[in-house]
Amino acid sequence: MNNLIYLIIGSAVLGILYSLWARRMVSKYPSGSDKMREIAEAIEEGSRAYLKRQYKIVAIVALIIAIMLFVLIGRASAAGFILGAFASALAGYFGMMTAVVANVRVTEVAKSGIKPAFRLAFIGGSVTGFLVVGLGLLVVTGFYLITKDISALVSLGFGGSLISVFSRLGGGIFTKGADVGADLVGKVEAGIPEDDPRNPAVIADLVGDNVGDCAGMAADLFETYAVTLIASMFLGSILYPNVNGAILYPLALGAAGLIASLIGSLFVSAKFKENIMAGLYKGLIATGIISILLFWQITNIFIIPDIITVQHTLEFLIDNPIPQFFGDPFKMFLSALTGLALTLLMVIFTEYYTSKKFRPVRNIAKASNTGHGTNVIMGLAMGMEATTLPILSIALATYFSYSLFGLYGIAIAATAMLSLAGIIVAIDSFGPITDNAGGIAEMAGLPENVRAVTDPLDAVGNTTKAVTKGYAIASAGLAALVLFGSFVSEISAHGKSITFEISDPLVLVGLFLGGMLPYIFASLSMLAVGKAAGSIVEEVRRQFREKDIMSGKDRPDYAAAVDIVTKAALREMILPAILPIAITILVALIFGLKTLGGLLIGVIVTGLFQALAMTSGGAAWDNAKKYIEEGNYGGKKSFAHQAAVTGDTVGDPYKDTAGPAINPMIKVVNIVALLLVGLLL
């Protein structure tokens, strides 16, 4: 068995080594003129300073929780929590710092055309992608190898989830506070272009892209990846006692997906702006095909057709050093295939609702002709509509995988889906790198031919970020279902049987409280963005009023704007991040396990709908604005463009703060509940 674990760890180390190699490759490219380097250094300094201050605050919260876990559960649980939190923070920090190194180099390479700029942006993004997956697989497998304690692994997932919530919230509040503030004063009031160097908030806006979309997404996907592996292993240990294969099979799928993603990344390429998205999808499709082939082989190694008695099966499994278990290999393979199919469907549906090519975005752009209100109404409508196809897909995937192999089948579908996280996160991190590259080109006053390269890359980046968020939410939904199954199975393992009936008032109370939680969480997140944006608006107005910035005589104080939005983001992230943990504990202590189970169901259902509507709707608003800026419906500075800017301002905190942060919040609630079971029984 240990040999297999070492092979899995070797795959994880290979992913980490690839990310280190990719970072070194990025750093070898030229970084442009002195002006470009000055802008890039300001972005890097602001990003580093923000994360340093954020992690100091989170470290205090993490230390308190670690002490509580040590006292209530044990040393292994506290150690797992600290390891998960540290690994999640490391993935976010390292990925973000690579992005700030890559952005200026993509700007410089853009002078040579689409092909080299595209390739460099993807290599920069792949650092984050493969570090997230490699580190996640390494810490989960390594910790299990050392401790053999599945319960302590749940605490490791909790550590990753805590960092993820804070990173998503803090980074999201920062990036959207700066973005909204910069747009409201710069575009709307002063009438200057986006990323105009005269706007004091422009550096804060570019910093926000990195702390929100790079560090936040890296922590989010690390947590989702690790938690899904852990939940699958935990469920396997309960459903198949003393069967090592049921615990290690999800890890083997994760290793196979990582290898497939590394190979698939070699297929990524694009020569023209018209096939940028297709160039990224080539790598994703290749990864999927390779994963299917590897999954089939691994499934046949792990699972033996059930042809002998249960008694002999147990004797065989306990004595045999090969980690195999009995069942139908084809059904298990179909469960894994269901997860891959769900990934494909989420990519297709999210692109449809967020790309400029299709009806939803163009409908929003068309509605802008008749004013700000109609733009907002259409955007809200499209966001609500965008939940339909993904939710149907998640529901069918859940039903199909359960019918094949029960709760463990759902767990394997979720694991297979997350196995593609390496290539998915690489595609996502492509977005903020190209966004920053365009901003640097604008601020440095580079010729139009450079923006002609960075702008289409940036536009595709908006869609890739939306696709990744849709993928993260769908995978989080499956992971949450697996965690809920683990919660119920853990109760049964303690000798108790609880039925969650909707006619039971205790369950109903939990459903209502759980259904409420994503709404109050999203509300607090949106309010936080509004407060941060208000602070930056006042600062930008002050500088415009007190300095002769517009003529170019005085230089904006970029650092002051960065500092203000940093303080606002860190101050406002505390309450919404702590709230889900506090409510879960209070519900468990006051009402008991039945209400706690109802809470989990309510959070999963309303959270999925909220997150999908917000992320897809917000991205559609953003690309509707960009569609108009390309010259449609009057182009820039037209009445339609003004309305689209308003819609984009509403959509920004939807897609980059509240919506994505609901994803880790759902899993935090489920993990805390799982940890509480042993204490309550």
Side-chain angles (χ1 to χ4, degrees):
M1 185 181 77
N2 282 354
N3 288 338
L4 175 64
I5 292 179
Y6 292 141
L7 282 174
I8 294 168
I9 289 175
S11 301
V13 170
L14 184 63
I16 295 171
L17 290 175
Y18 177 85
S19 68
L20 295 175
W21 170 84
R23 193 181 195 283
R24 186 179 178 188
M25 287 293 295
V26 169
S27 64
K28 288 183 177 181
Y29 281 79
S31 54
S33 64
D34 291 341
K35 178 66 174 175
M36 292 166 62
R37 285 195 296 273
E38 179 186 345
I39 297 165
E41 286 168 5
I43 297 170
E44 180 178 353
E45 183 181 340
S47 302
R48 193 190 300 270
Y50 172 79
L51 274 197
K52 184 178 179 182
R53 289 163 74 170
Q54 176 179 269
Y55 286 159
K56 281 183 179 178
I57 293 173
V58 178
I60 296 170
V61 178
L63 182 61
I64 294 170
I65 294 175
I67 292 171
M68 293 173 62
L69 289 172
F70 179 81
V71 173
L72 296 173
I73 300 178
R75 181 170 54 188
S77 183
F81 174 82
I82 293 171
L83 177 62
F86 175 77
S88 180
L90 181 64
Y93 183 82
F94 193 83
M96 186 203 71
M97 295 314 298
T98 300
V100 299
V101 169
N103 54 22
V104 69
R105 288 165 171 80
V106 171
T107 309
E108 177 65 17
V109 171
K111 296 174 182 177
S112 302
I114 285 278
K115 185 178 178 180
F118 171 90
R119 186 62 192 168
L120 181 58
F122 178 76
I123 292 174
S126 67
V127 174
T128 308
F130 291 108
L131 181 67
V132 163
V133 176
L135 203 56
L137 189 60
L138 178 64
V139 296
V140 171
T141 310
F143 191 75
Y144 175 71
L145 176 65
I146 294 169
T147 65
K148 296 294 190 296
D149 188 342
I150 298 290
S151 298
L153 271 177
V154 176
S155 295
L156 188 151
F158 183 29
S161 294
L162 182 77
I163 295 296
S164 177
V165 170
F166 274 104
S167 295
R168 266 304 191 192
L169 272 174
I173 294 166
F174 186 107
T175 184
K176 291 304 107 179
D179 192 2
V180 170
D183 282 355
L184 286 176
V185 184
K187 286 184 179 180
V188 178
E189 294 182 11
I192 57 179
E194 187 173 1
D195 299 325
D196 192 299
R198 293 171 293 179
N199 191 332
V202 71
I203 291 292
D205 186 9
L206 296 174
V207 168
D209 291 331
N210 294 291
V211 300
D213 288 325
C214 281
M217 175 54 79
D220 185 357
L221 262 299
F222 172 89
E223 174 259 352
T224 302
Y225 183 81
V227 165
T228 302
L229 287 178
I230 291 165
S232 300
M233 295 168 70
F234 187 85
L235 198 59
S237 70
I238 295 174
L239 298 177
Y240 300 93
N242 302 316
V243 180
N244 288 322
I247 297 173
L248 297 181
Y249 179 60
L251 294 175
L253 292 182
L258 174 53
I259 298 299
S261 294
L262 285 169
I263 299 171
S265 67
L266 301 176
F267 290 82
V268 173
S269 64
K271 295 181 180 179
F272 309 104
K273 67 179 183 180
E274 291 80 13
N275 63 357
I276 295 172
M277 200 73 188
L280 294 169
Y281 282 165
K282 281 192 290 186
L284 184 58
I285 292 168
T287 299
I289 293 171
I290 296 167
S291 295
I292 290 171
L293 298 175
L294 292 177
F295 286 179
W296 174 244
Q297 296 301 321
I298 288 171
T299 302
N300 277 296
I301 291 172
F302 269 85
I303 301 178
I304 302 169
D306 191 0
I307 54 175
I308 56 177
T309 66
V310 173
Q311 178 67 30
H312 289 160
T313 299
L314 292 175
E315 291 174 359
F316 172 81
L317 292 171
I318 292 170
D319 295 336
N320 188 2
I322 301 172
Q324 296 171 312
F325 60 110
F326 286 80
D328 187 332
F330 187 66
K331 285 186 177 181
M332 184 64 81
F333 172 69
L334 286 180
S335 295
L337 206 59
T338 301
L340 297 180
L342 181 57
T343 300
L344 176 63
L345 291 174
M346 288 304 301
V347 169
I348 292 171
F349 296 151
T350 308
E351 184 181 359
Y352 174 73
Y353 278 99
T354 59
S355 173
K356 292 180 294 183
K357 303 177 193 174
F358 303 113
R359 174 187 64 88
V361 168
R362 296 193 176 192
N363 277 359
I364 297 172
K366 185 178 180 181
S368 304
N369 278 315
T370 50
H372 302 255
T374 48
N375 171 282
V376 172
I377 290 169
M378 185 61 73
L380 288 171
M382 290 299 102
M384 293 176 192
E385 182 187 310
T387 64
T388 306
L389 293 175
I391 290 294
L392 284 173
S393 301
I394 294 169
L396 290 173
T398 302
Y399 176 79
F400 188 60
S401 54
Y402 182 85
S403 67
L404 289 167
F405 229 93
L407 280 175
Y408 194 68
I410 299 175
I412 294 308
T415 301
M417 188 174 187
L418 263 299
S419 71
L420 304 185
I423 189 83
I424 293 282
V425 178
I427 291 172
D428 173 82
S429 296
F430 171 93
I433 291 173
T434 56
D435 191 353
N436 272 202
I440 292 170
E442 179 75 25
M443 292 190 70
L446 298 183
E448 281 299 315
N449 67 303
V450 176
R451 287 308 299 254
V453 171
T454 59
D455 282 354
L457 291 174
D458 179 25
V460 168
N462 278 331
T463 300
T464 64
K465 287 186 286 186
V467 165
T468 306
K469 287 164 188 166
Y471 164 82
I473 293 163
S475 59
L478 283 185
L481 289 172
V482 175
L483 285 168
F484 180 73
S486 300
F487 170 79
V488 176
S489 299
E490 178 72 350
I491 293 172
S492 300
H494 281 79
K496 289 195 70 173
S497 178
I498 296 180
T499 303
F500 298 98
E501 296 180 353
I502 196 168
S503 59
D504 189 327
L506 286 174
V507 176
L508 199 58
V509 167
L511 284 170
F512 283 135
L513 292 175
M516 170 206 73
L517 193 52
Y519 283 90
I520 189 65
F521 180 84
S523 172
L524 291 170
S525 304
M526 297 279 285
L527 286 171
V529 172
K531 291 176 183 177
S535 301
I536 203 73
V537 164
E538 291 302 320
E539 172 61 19
V540 174
R541 284 174 177 168
R542 181 193 68 79
Q543 292 196 33
F544 277 147
R545 187 171 59 248
E546 297 177 4
K547 297 183 177 185
D548 189 7
I549 293 174
M550 295 301 289
S551 68
K553 182 178 179 181
D554 293 330
R555 186 175 183 271
D557 187 351
Y558 300 120
V562 171
D563 186 61
I564 284 172
V565 76
T566 295
K567 290 177 180 175
L570 295 177
R571 182 177 61 250
E572 299 296 334
M573 75 177 181
I574 301 294
L575 178 58
I578 297 298
L579 185 69
I581 300 172
I583 288 181
T584 306
I585 293 172
L586 287 173
V587 166
L589 295 178
I590 295 171
F591 296 103
L593 288 175
K594 278 193 174 182
T595 306
L596 184 59
L599 177 86
L600 303 186
I601 298 168
V603 165
I604 292 170
V605 173
T606 63
L608 277 177
F609 279 93
Q610 275 274 78
L612 286 168
M614 285 182 157
T615 51
S616 294
W621 260 315
D622 191 354
N623 274 341
K625 179 197 69 174
K626 284 183 165 53
Y627 181 72
I628 292 173
E629 287 175 345
E630 291 176 351
N632 300 291
Y633 301 116
K636 291 183 180 180
K637 298 186 180 180
S638 65
F639 179 71
H641 184 241
Q642 292 173 11
V645 170
T646 299
D648 182 36
T649 303
V650 176
D652 271 340
Y654 260 50
K655 70 181 174 67
D656 288 325
T657 307
I662 289 173
N663 169 19
M665 185 273 289
I666 294 171
K667 294 192 294 299
V668 163
V669 171
N670 279 270
I671 290 174
V672 171
L674 192 55
L675 288 169
L676 289 171
V677 171
L679 299 175
L680 294 174
L681 292 175

